[in-house]
Amino acid sequence: MASVLGNHQDAIMADDFLITRAQRVWLELAGVPVTFPAEGMQVVVSERSLLCPPGWVGIVTLGNAAIITVPAERTGALVRERLGGAPVATLTHPDRVYDALPVAELLGPATLAYCDQRSFRPTEPGVVDVIPASHADLAAFLASVPPDDADECGLAEITSPAFVVRGGRQVLAAAGYRRWPGQAAHVCVLTAPRQRGRGLARLVAGTAVADALTGGLLPQWRARPEPSRRVARALGFHELGTQLSIRLS
């Protein structure tokens, strides 16, 4: 029993440490001085917020706290009135937001997951090539998949090398990461539609995550589809928060 309790406490402490590191990332992206409260939400006006597109409301939850950036104080007053006192877990729930605010458009919610050296579960060895992010083979791979997949994965914007698995000369899966503020490595991964279900995403993403950890970075996995979230969990990522962007009418 003592061992079970000890493991549980260790897991809580590990999550708290990851949450603290993750909060630093999003505080820098907020664009103005703000802090995550001990619990509940903090609303701040920021025209330079990167939590959401310009002019939108951006919500990021981590643990039991949330920060919300708004484009103007009038919007902030509305958000505080309509969402104030709501449980943090509901702040990025679309039904709750639609009920509370005059929503014109939503982006998300996306799950925010993180890992470190202690939680990371490396993949089994495999043949992974390392190529520059500007390599023509990566560009050809992105051009070969549906445009929505190419846009969603973010591989066109990575600052790391690309880690790829090939079938002959053709890229079947690729991963990499983009350096974000707060020493974060935002992981991007994509598998060709006909190659999914073979574990290729886990293989290339695991190689990218290992590279980021070697560089002292905090791997971040932001995802909406459940298959992507399963890959992250298999690699040892902990789901610690959510992100939602709102355009008000």
Side-chain angles (χ1 to χ4, degrees):
M1 178 64 72
S3 176
V4 172
L5 291 174
N7 290 339
H8 179 65
Q9 291 172 344
D10 288 345
I12 292 174
M13 291 178 62
D15 279 356
D16 288 345
F17 178 72
L18 282 173
I19 288 172
T20 298
R21 291 190 66 188
Q23 286 179 345
R24 295 191 194 114
V25 176
W26 292 97
L27 292 177
E28 289 196 36
L29 292 169
V32 296
V34 62
T35 58
F36 278 87
E39 60 181 29
M41 70 181 195
Q42 178 82 330
V43 181
V44 62
V45 176
S46 175
E47 296 180 355
R48 297 180 290 117
S49 172
L50 296 178
L51 272 61
C52 55
W56 290 41
V57 175
I59 304 177
V60 170
T61 74
L62 285 165
N64 295 319
I67 57 171
I68 303 177
T69 59
V70 296
E73 181 53 45
R74 181 177 63 178
T75 306
L78 179 66
V79 170
R80 292 185 192 96
E81 175 188 349
R82 301 289 182 83
L83 295 180
V88 167
T90 70
L91 293 178
T92 53
H93 194 287
D95 290 344
R96 174 70 176 87
V97 173
Y98 273 114
D99 287 343
L101 296 170
V103 176
E105 186 177 358
L106 288 180
L107 290 177
T111 299
L112 300 174
Y114 300 87
C115 78
D116 58 15
Q117 292 281 11
R118 293 170 296 182
S119 64
F120 178 51
R121 293 196 288 270
T123 56
E124 295 295 327
V127 179
V128 177
D129 290 343
V130 183
I131 61 175
S134 58
H135 199 287
D137 288 355
L138 181 63
F141 172 58
L142 292 175
S144 72
V145 301
D148 287 349
D149 285 357
D151 291 342
E152 178 80 14
C153 74
L155 278 168
E157 300 176 347
I158 60 174
T159 56
S160 73
F163 304 89
V164 305
V165 169
R166 299 178 185 272
R169 297 187 60 183
Q170 184 179 11
V171 173
L172 305 181
Y177 56 86
R178 181 176 178 84
R179 286 286 298 269
W180 274 30
Q183 295 295 302
H186 183 72
V187 179
C188 306
V189 60
L190 179 64
T191 302
R194 293 185 179 181
Q195 303 298 327
R196 292 171 186 171
R198 298 174 52 195
L200 299 183
R202 183 179 177 187
L203 177 59
V204 293
T207 308
V209 171
D211 185 81
L213 289 171
T214 298
L217 302 176
L218 173 68
Q220 171 180 275
W221 195 294
R222 183 176 62 183
R224 286 180 285 181
E226 177 57 27
S228 178
R229 293 170 64 184
R230 283 200 301 268
V231 174
R233 290 194 292 265
L235 291 171
F237 279 78
H238 293 198
E239 295 185 348
L240 301 176
T242 53
Q243 178 192 12
L244 181 70
S245 298
I246 309 164
R247 181 171 68 86
L248 298 182
S249 59

XYZ file of all heavy atoms in Angstrom, residues 139-154 190-196:
167
model
N 8.791 18.349 -48.640
C 7.828 19.161 -49.381
C 6.954 18.290 -50.279
O 5.733 18.492 -50.372
C 8.560 20.213 -50.203
N 7.574 17.292 -50.919
C 6.803 16.400 -51.780
C 5.809 15.579 -50.971
O 4.676 15.334 -51.411
C 7.755 15.479 -52.547
N 6.209 15.154 -49.793
C 5.317 14.395 -48.918
C 4.105 15.235 -48.526
O 2.955 14.774 -48.612
C 6.086 13.942 -47.678
C 5.244 13.318 -46.605
C 4.466 12.206 -46.861
C 5.227 13.849 -45.324
C 3.682 11.624 -45.869
C 4.461 13.282 -44.321
C 3.685 12.164 -44.598
N 4.337 16.480 -48.129
C 3.233 17.348 -47.720
C 2.313 17.655 -48.899
O 1.096 17.803 -48.716
C 3.779 18.638 -47.114
C 4.499 18.477 -45.771
C 5.102 19.802 -45.318
C 3.554 17.941 -44.706
N 2.875 17.734 -50.088
C 2.051 17.995 -51.271
C 1.224 16.780 -51.668
O 0.219 16.916 -52.382
C 2.941 18.421 -52.435
N 1.615 15.598 -51.180
C 0.937 14.362 -51.591
C -0.260 14.014 -50.718
O -1.037 13.123 -51.069
C 1.925 13.191 -51.561
O 2.251 12.819 -50.222
N -0.413 14.674 -49.576
C -1.492 14.350 -48.648
C -2.603 15.392 -48.795
O -2.397 16.453 -49.380
C -0.980 14.315 -47.190
C 0.132 13.286 -47.037
C -0.496 15.690 -46.743
N -3.801 15.117 -48.281
C -4.878 16.112 -48.345
C -4.448 17.431 -47.708
O -3.766 17.431 -46.676
C -6.011 15.448 -47.545
C -5.748 13.984 -47.676
C -4.263 13.840 -47.692
N -4.820 18.566 -48.306
C -4.396 19.876 -47.775
C -4.729 20.080 -46.304
O -3.937 20.670 -45.570
C -5.148 20.871 -48.667
C -5.372 20.135 -49.950
C -5.590 18.698 -49.551
N -5.876 19.600 -45.846
C -6.240 19.769 -44.440
C -5.252 19.040 -43.533
O -4.896 19.539 -42.463
C -7.653 19.257 -44.178
C -8.719 20.180 -44.739
O -8.377 21.310 -45.140
O -9.894 19.767 -44.790
N -4.812 17.850 -43.954
C -3.829 17.115 -43.159
C -2.507 17.863 -43.108
O -1.862 17.953 -42.049
C -3.596 15.724 -43.759
C -4.736 14.756 -43.476
O -5.676 15.155 -42.770
O -4.676 13.619 -43.965
N -2.073 18.400 -44.245
C -0.809 19.126 -44.296
C -0.858 20.370 -43.412
O 0.106 20.685 -42.708
C -0.483 19.507 -45.734
N -1.992 21.080 -43.435
C -2.125 22.290 -42.611
C -2.189 21.947 -41.128
O -1.579 22.613 -40.292
C -3.383 23.062 -43.012
C -3.267 23.690 -44.389
O -2.127 23.829 -44.886
O -4.314 24.015 -44.977
N -2.948 20.904 -40.797
C -3.151 20.536 -39.396
C -1.861 20.085 -38.725
O -1.603 20.404 -37.561
C -4.195 19.418 -39.307
C -4.466 18.898 -37.900
C -5.396 19.786 -37.098
O -6.041 20.663 -37.695
O -5.466 19.597 -35.872
N -1.005 19.367 -39.445
C 0.170 18.774 -38.810
C 1.249 19.791 -38.481
O 2.040 19.585 -37.541
C 0.750 17.668 -39.685
S 1.644 18.257 -41.151
N 1.359 20.885 -39.229
C 2.343 21.920 -38.918
C 3.769 21.614 -39.357
O 4.693 22.349 -39.018
N 2.959 13.492 -39.042
C 1.960 13.130 -40.041
C 2.365 11.814 -40.694
O 3.533 11.593 -41.014
C 1.850 14.215 -41.114
C 0.839 13.962 -42.246
C -0.583 13.922 -41.698
C 0.962 15.028 -43.320
N 1.376 10.947 -40.904
C 1.550 9.711 -41.652
C 0.650 9.758 -42.882
O -0.489 10.243 -42.805
C 1.169 8.487 -40.790
O 1.964 8.473 -39.609
C 1.388 7.186 -41.559
N 1.157 9.275 -44.005
C 0.343 9.216 -45.220
C -0.925 8.412 -44.937
O -0.891 7.389 -44.241
C 1.139 8.579 -46.353
N -2.077 8.855 -45.436
C -3.354 8.204 -45.098
C -3.353 6.687 -45.274
O -3.898 5.961 -44.433
C -4.348 8.890 -46.047
C -3.777 10.251 -46.260
C -2.288 10.050 -46.281
N -2.756 6.170 -46.336
C -2.799 4.731 -46.586
C -1.789 3.946 -45.742
O -1.785 2.708 -45.786
C -2.548 4.458 -48.066
C -3.666 4.968 -48.966
C -3.433 4.562 -50.412
N -4.518 5.030 -51.281
C -4.578 4.801 -52.584
N -3.601 4.103 -53.182
N -5.589 5.249 -53.299
N -0.951 4.636 -44.984
C 0.075 3.965 -44.178
C -0.256 3.975 -42.687
O 0.544 3.520 -41.872
C 1.437 4.641 -44.408
C 1.880 4.682 -45.859
C 2.069 3.303 -46.453
O 2.460 2.363 -45.759
N 1.791 3.163 -47.747
N -1.409 4.467 -42.324
C -1.760 4.598 -40.911
C -2.100 3.249 -40.296
O -2.501 2.327 -40.985
C -2.904 5.601 -40.754
C -2.460 7.012 -41.099
C -3.564 8.031 -41.188
N -3.007 9.300 -41.665
C -3.738 10.348 -42.021
N -5.064 10.295 -41.953
N -3.146 11.450 -42.444
